[in-house]
Amino acid sequence: MAPTGMGSSAERPYHHGGGNSGSGNSNGKAAVVPAKTPGTPRREQSYRLEKAVQDPGLKDYRLGDCIGKGAFGSVYKAFNWGTGEAVAVKQIKIADVPKSELRMVEVEIDLLKNLHVRRTR
Ligand SMILES: Nc1ncnc2c1ncn2[C@@H]1O[C@H](COP(=O)(O)OP(=O)(O)OP(=O)(O)O)[C@@H](O)[C@H]1O
């Protein structure tokens, strides 16, 4: 995510929703969004063993288990040290994104930045 230790293939964090987490580097992007409400279908089991790269730009967050995978990235459980908020961090390896899809990824990131999901209980 995007969060961590990066060359051109590394991922840079890009986050929102609960904290002041730094800027990361310029090679990848990550988004931090509130975790979905309980009961939302997830694919947690299959990704338990995959570990997130703890990007310095996400120093305010502790990244945990991988809870899902999309076309270009992985989503991890995360915890905001400052607020105690549980969030989901999506890491996208920019090097893996075809140039023709980059714009779409940027649009998704903008959407996620403005997304605020509240727990219902
Ligand atoms: N905020 C969230 N809380 C909990 N789980 C999430 C959250 N966001 C994503 N996930 C999980 O991570 C998976 C991957 O999400 P991601 O947004 O990367 O891809 P997608 O939208 O499902 O697929 P694609 O990348 O093909 O569009 C989701 O299917 C879901 O299981």
Side-chain angles (χ1 to χ4, degrees):
M1 194 202 352
T4 336
M6 345 244 140
S8 59
S9 64
E11 298 162 291
R12 174 187 69 134
Y14 161 168
H15 31 84
H16 88 95
N20 174 17
S21 39
S23 57
N25 67 32
S26 59
N27 297 320
K29 296 190 184 243
V32 175
V33 300
K36 288 177 180 168
T37 54
T40 300
R42 296 177 191 173
R43 290 176 280 174
E44 297 184 33
Q45 300 283 6
S46 334
Y47 306 113
R48 280 262 158 79
L49 297 177
E50 184 159 335
K51 280 292 165 195
V53 182
Q54 187 71 49
D55 190 281
L58 285 176
K59 62 180 172 49
D60 292 341
Y61 296 88
R62 183 178 69 78
L63 300 189
D65 292 342
C66 181
I67 54 175
K69 275 194 156 188
F72 302 119
S74 301
V75 177
Y76 299 90
K77 281 184 189 174
F79 170 79
N80 184 316
W81 290 114
T83 65
E85 184 182 24
V87 298
V89 172
K90 180 171 179 174
Q91 289 187 321
I92 299 171
K93 199 175 220 177
I94 292 300
D96 292 347
V97 180
K99 272 189 179 167
S100 58
E101 309 259 8
L102 279 176
R103 181 62 198 139
M104 213 171 68
V105 168
E106 285 181 357
V107 168
E108 181 180 353
I109 289 168
D110 283 341
L111 284 172
L112 290 175
K113 283 167 72 178
N114 294 306
L115 178 69
H116 298 278
V117 181
R118 290 207 173 95
R119 286 186 180 276
T120 54
R121 59 183 168 145

